[in-house]
Amino acid sequence: MKIVKHYPDELKLKLVRHYLDSDEGYKKTAERFNVPYAAMVMRWVRKFIGESTTQPGMSKPAKKEKPIDPGDAETMAKRIQELEQALENERLRSQAMSTMIDVAERDLKISIRKKSGAKRSGK
């Protein structure tokens, strides 16, 4: 029988933030937070930054929002909380993409970001 350990979302979010803010990989981050598998870290990063597991690098399509009754204070408070969480997830996703580009530019020595300045005709 397999024992399944559940981790609180606060720990997962802390782990994802550490992964995004540091140059450590999945394995090193898993070791730092005493998580048995690097794949768990990868899954949590994808969960919090919204990457699709079927198409790496592509974000999930936004869910259609249900119309809400603006008069209900409890509904509005819940909606605000959902939007704040979505904003935090998007911020983490953006930071992950930026980190990925930085690592690619540094390690692979390829230019990815658009450079500012005048355009040149390439003949």
Side-chain angles (χ1 to χ4, degrees):
M1 188 164 137
K2 189 175 186 180
I3 298 174
V4 178
K5 184 173 181 181
H6 294 278
Y7 296 90
D9 284 342
E10 293 82 23
L11 174 69
K12 293 176 186 178
L13 191 57
K14 183 178 178 182
L15 184 144
V16 169
R17 283 188 178 138
H18 173 79
Y19 171 79
L20 295 174
D21 291 340
S22 70
D23 286 335
E24 293 180 356
Y26 294 126
K27 185 175 181 179
K28 199 68 153 168
T29 302
E31 290 172 1
R32 179 179 298 275
F33 286 88
N34 296 320
V35 174
Y37 305 104
M40 292 174 79
V41 176
M42 182 172 60
R43 192 173 346 140
W44 296 340
V45 169
R46 286 181 178 163
K47 174 186 173 187
F48 284 105
I49 65 171
E51 286 186 9
S52 171
T53 57
T54 57
Q55 297 176 339
M58 300 297 290
S59 60
K60 291 181 181 177
K63 295 180 183 177
K64 289 199 170 193
E65 300 296 330
K66 298 177 190 174
I68 57 172
D69 179 20
D72 187 7
E74 185 178 320
T75 304
M76 293 303 291
K78 184 178 178 184
R79 177 73 175 138
I80 289 170
Q81 186 177 11
E82 289 172 0
L83 290 172
E84 287 174 344
Q85 184 63 44
L87 178 63
E88 177 66 14
N89 290 345
E90 192 60 29
R91 187 192 68 75
L92 289 171
R93 181 184 163 281
S94 175
Q95 188 177 5
M97 295 294 182
S98 181
T99 301
M100 183 174 61
I101 290 171
D102 292 342
V103 169
E105 287 182 335
R106 183 189 69 219
D107 294 350
L108 302 176
K109 297 187 180 8
I110 56 176
S111 178
I112 297 174
R113 288 196 172 91
K114 183 177 178 179
K115 306 295 186 243
S116 63
K119 290 185 178 181
R120 295 186 191 196
S121 61
K123 288 187 178 184

